[in-house]
Amino acid sequence: RQMQQKCLLKLTNADLPIQKVGLGGRIPVISCNYQSEDGDCEVDITIANFHGVRKTQFIRDWAAHDENLRRTILLAKYWAKRRKIVGQTKGLLGGYSFSLMVIFYYARKLPMDMRLGAMLQDFFRFYASEFDWEGEMILFPEISLDPQVLKGKSSQKSGTTMFFPKP
């Protein structure tokens, strides 16, 4: 962890548009605001954060399955950010947690032919009225993108948690 902090401290001397430096957390991070032709983009820089790479790949794999799923993830995170109800440093759910919530909803409901607006509305309705906050949990011990699993032909439900075994 000290090596991560030292590397990130060296980056603070670089010509980067740094917004925030967080060296005291579990994963030291520098947040920057990258400006491109397409607009501003917030970027977090970490060193040797292999778990973060794995989490990103997990989201990317699921989002590649359905464009509306990818867009619903982005919209849910945007909604949470605009309402200032996201941020692990504040004791709130992080952006990754909101992504997992969308993926869990998607895996449970399989809204393949739903339009984006209807899917986002159904996502909020699902967590507002169907999801049992006291008795359910979102758990992805092993996930498969096997089309048979996504069609519900080989998924297994265990209690109120959905498990998707690897093929």
Side-chain angles (χ1 to χ4, degrees), residues 24-105:
R26 187 174 47 88
I27 304 292
V29 63
I30 291 179
S31 297
C32 301
N33 191 16
Y34 175 75
Q35 297 174 353
S36 71
E37 299 159 358
D38 298 329
D40 290 353
C41 179
E42 293 179 18
V43 178
D44 289 343
I45 301 172
T46 62
I47 306 291
N49 181 9
F50 302 110
H51 184 65
V53 171
R54 192 167 167 232
K55 290 180 354 180
T56 299
Q57 189 60 49
F58 176 80
I59 301 292
R60 186 175 290 143
D61 288 346
W62 273 88
H65 179 72
D66 183 345
E67 182 63 20
N68 277 348
L69 172 62
R70 184 185 75 79
R71 289 179 178 174
T72 303
I73 290 171
L74 293 173
L75 285 171
K77 290 170 61 174
Y78 177 77
W79 172 84
K81 187 175 182 178
R82 294 281 297 174
R83 281 153 185 77
K84 298 181 180 4
I85 58 169
V86 66
Q88 290 177 302
T89 58
K90 301 174 204 163
L92 304 170
L93 292 176
Y96 184 67
S97 297
F98 278 94
S99 298
L100 291 180
M101 289 174 68
V102 174
I103 291 170
F104 183 80
Y105 152 78

